[in-house]
Amino acid sequence: MFVLEPWHWLALGGVLIISEMFLTTFATLWFGIAAVMVALLSWLFPIPEVFQVLLWLLFSILMVVMWFKYVKPLSIDRTKAGLGGSVIIGETGIITKVPTLDKVGTIRFSVPIVGATEWRCRTRGEPLELGERVVVIEIIGNELIVAPAKLPAHVEYR
């Protein structure tokens, strides 16, 4: 008759954790960690085999839930890298080099947009100042066309 020993769980956990290095999907990591936890508990306390399997299932479910609830949201790429250039339209940045009609300026965003925090920009003739907040209204080639960011009429500032 086959008897589950703590080293069986430890070996299973090691295989699952090592396989994660080749899969890179976080599909087996949580089951591997759960198996290591069951190995540790079954080594410390005499646990019947049925409960060892139930503990492994319970720990696996808890690990997967923790992954989706707490860890995965931290790994979401908020830079908008890889998206089309149209995601820039409507973004607000600050002028770091003033553009004129014949010279290109520079706009800086607080977070990287489409992989960069600084972009070349032009205006349609509106005078801009250094440090002024502007909004992107159009994209031509690799240059952004910007206009002064205006506050909505219904917003009052004290």
Side-chain angles (χ1 to χ4, degrees):
M1 181 174 172
F2 184 74
V3 177
L4 275 175
E5 298 287 334
W7 71 267
H8 291 129
W9 288 109
L10 192 60
L12 175 66
V15 167
L16 290 171
I17 291 171
I18 289 172
S19 69
E20 185 60 43
M21 288 191 294
F22 300 104
L23 297 175
T24 65
T25 60
F26 291 105
T28 62
L29 179 65
W30 315 117
F31 300 106
I33 292 173
V36 170
M37 292 170 67
V38 171
L40 184 66
L41 285 176
S42 63
W43 179 65
L44 291 173
F45 308 104
I47 301 173
E49 293 175 354
V50 172
F51 290 117
Q52 290 178 19
V53 173
L54 290 175
L55 275 175
W56 178 67
L57 290 173
L58 178 70
F59 287 151
S60 296
I61 291 169
L62 286 175
M63 292 290 180
V64 170
V65 167
M66 287 176 54
W67 161 250
F68 281 109
K69 181 135 177 110
Y70 300 109
V71 180
K72 190 173 181 180
L74 298 176
S75 66
I76 294 174
D77 184 11
R78 298 178 201 280
T79 62
K80 298 181 182 177
L83 299 176
S86 62
V87 297
I88 301 176
I89 295 175
E91 292 289 334
T92 303
I94 295 176
I95 293 293
T96 57
K97 182 179 173 189
V98 178
T100 59
L101 287 177
D102 57 340
K103 289 187 179 180
V104 178
T106 306
I107 180 174
R108 177 177 288 167
F109 297 102
S110 59
V111 295
I113 296 178
V114 192
T117 55
E118 285 196 359
W119 286 78
R120 296 164 42 124
C121 67
R122 291 187 181 269
T123 65
R124 289 189 171 159
E126 299 96 350
L128 297 176
E129 296 177 10
L130 188 66
E132 184 175 355
R133 293 180 56 86
V134 294
V135 64
V136 178
I137 57 173
E138 188 178 352
I139 302 169
I140 297 176
N142 287 335
E143 296 174 356
L144 308 178
I145 308 299
V146 297
K150 295 187 170 109
L151 300 174
H154 65 280
V155 177
E156 292 181 23
Y157 291 92
R158 297 178 194 171

